[in-house]
Amino acid sequence: MKLKRHVSTWLLSAVALMLVAFMLLPVLYMVIMSFKSGAEITQNPLGLPASLDFGNYINALSKMNYLRSVFNSIGITLSVTVLVSFIGALAAYPLARRTNPLARALVLLMALGLSTPNFVTITPIYVIFRDIGLLDTYLGLILAFTALNLPLAVFFYTSFIRSIPLELEEAARLDNCSDFRIFWHVIRPLLGPATATLSLFVMLMVWNDFTYPLLLLTDESKFTVMISVYRFVGNHNLSPSDLFPAAVLGSLPLLILFIFFQRRIVSGVTAGAVK
Amino acid sequence: MRTLRRYRIFLFTLPAILVIGAFFVYPILLSLRLSFTDFTGVGIPNDVGWKNYERIFTRSRYLDAFTTTILFTVIVVVVQTALGLFFAALLHRLPAVRNLCRAALFTPAMMSFVIVGYVWQFIYSPFNGGLNSALAALGLESLQHNWIGDPNTALIAVAFAHIWMFTGYTTAIFLAGYAAIPSDLEEASKLEGARSWQRFRHIEVPLLAPSFTINIMLSTIGTLKTFELPFIMTRGGPDGATRTLSLHIIDSLFGKYKFGFASALSIIMLLLVVLVAYVQNRYLRSREDIT
């Protein structure tokens, strides 16, 4: 009986691994194809490349302005993370510690932000940005991304701060510290884990988002990675020897990050969704 | 004076309120205002009354986009939830490979829509594309097809790329739901000799109700506004088969500079999302209470 159960568990595990491997085939396909020349794809559309030729990559790197766009994406991510975590944690503190009609109204306001599709706001944001000169600037994109991530950050910090025992604040309150000093010296130093998870979130969103930079940026030197990929590959007559190396270059940084932080990313993203 | 002191702490929310006001509240109101005008992006907008809305509800192309969006959402939500539940139920029973598989399934969600769109566009390509080549290698040439070039299969093909991307996400949320099931309950049912399928049907599925709520709501809201995959893979074609509402918004905005009309479309979209989210939330939450 026990042996039978063991065998069936092994079999089931093998089936599960095979199914999961099947799901990953497109990723493997992307990597394999990125090393093939156009002629090789015609002759051998599925198999491994004949040689590990980096020619496609050298071509893509030189035409994509890759390093510049990676730096842009990183810079924008860092700025958005700083803004979102500061504004978000600050707003979350009273929401976590007070339950009155004002707090409830503010929670509703954040829920409105969380559930509004960005297509509803994109036309007016474009018009406003154009009128006040924020179109095609880093600042405009940073502000737009900050707003997009803020509601989630507020909810995230609110539930995190609720788990911090009130006793920690009591001592400071007896010393007549102001609310802000309590927030800054007692609460803020404890927010590290929440900020770490949040910044992974922000990074994922800023790195992969396509709509905002597509509509708000026109100057090539300010492009984020995904817009560089899009402009390089184009929309018509896809050339696989351009497409696949660009796809690998575009996803590689996050995939490497994912290998190192997979547990934190998966549980963080799931927790963020559950809250 | 004391009430003032009690509320002073809410000054901390001021920056957040400003951001939400400037990027959500004001734009929604401006959208509503512009939706009754013929604004083209420059000059002074003229009031046109309900004309933009009339246009949306009388032209078949917008009603078609509406149907396409709903159909796409239904396909994605149903298949993705079923597939995610399947993987979660399987991995829940296999602790040895659970974390590895969960991370592997999650990998596509790390990639951008842009890249997923391009890679799948080539997988579906009739010229040496991955899917047709694989069919040929298996001796199934008769099944070869121009997957995203045929209006009958294009929407399903794009939907599958979307499902592929987010199945791991759904699985991870279901697995978190599984972790919350009290283990003594499961032990008890095992001792009573309940088979795997019976446990799944009568214990796990009802207790996973909150995970169903989250998964279904997240994927519905995410797909109703879908834009990137059809934009990259098909540009709404062939023959409008994959033209969703958001694609129309972007088209009216930057293809034709019809800002007023795009605003009307986006207000309709907001109403759609709010309505669907409200109905779903009520129904799914009431399901949670029964169990």
Side-chain angles (χ1 to χ4, degrees), chain A residues 23-24 29 45 90 113 119-120 123-124 126 130 147 208 210-211 215 226 230 234-235 238 258 262-263 269-270, chain B residues 12 17 23-24 27 31 41 99 103-104 110 112 114-115 118 121-122 130 133 164 169 173 227-228 231 235 253-254:
Chain A
M23 287 288 280
L24 282 184
Y29 178 73
L90 200 59
F119 282 92
V120 179
T123 314
Y126 181 85
R130 194 197 53 192
N208 284 340
F210 172 63
T211 317
L215 301 183
M226 286 314 139
Y230 172 69
N235 246 138
L238 294 187
F258 185 61
Q262 55 93 0
R263 215 171 265 249
V269 171
T270 326
Chain B
F12 288 9
I17 293 173
F23 285 89
F24 292 100
S31 238
N99 278 331
M110 288 289 108
S112 168
V114 181
I115 287 165
Y118 277 137
Q121 189 180 0
F122 199 77
S133 306
W164 174 76
Y169 202 107
I173 291 176
F227 156 69
E228 292 93 339
F231 181 81
R235 281 267 168 172
L253 202 54
F254 296 94

Side-chain angles (χ1 to χ4, degrees), chain A residues 233-244:
Chain A
V233 180
N235 246 138
H236 302 288
N237 307 322
L238 294 187
S239 149
S241 49
D242 285 348
L243 186 167
F244 288 104

Side-chain angles (χ1 to χ4, degrees), chain A residues 17 70 116 137 146 175-176 189 194 243 248 251 270:
Chain A
L17 286 172
V70 167
T116 306
T137 63
T146 301
D175 284 343
N176 242 339
L243 186 167
V248 172
S251 35
T270 326

Side-chain angles (χ1 to χ4, degrees), chain B residues 89-103:
Chain B
L90 189 64
L91 296 179
H92 173 66
R93 287 160 172 73
L94 304 168
V97 295
R98 189 187 301 152
N99 278 331
L100 175 72
C101 290
R102 191 180 66 154

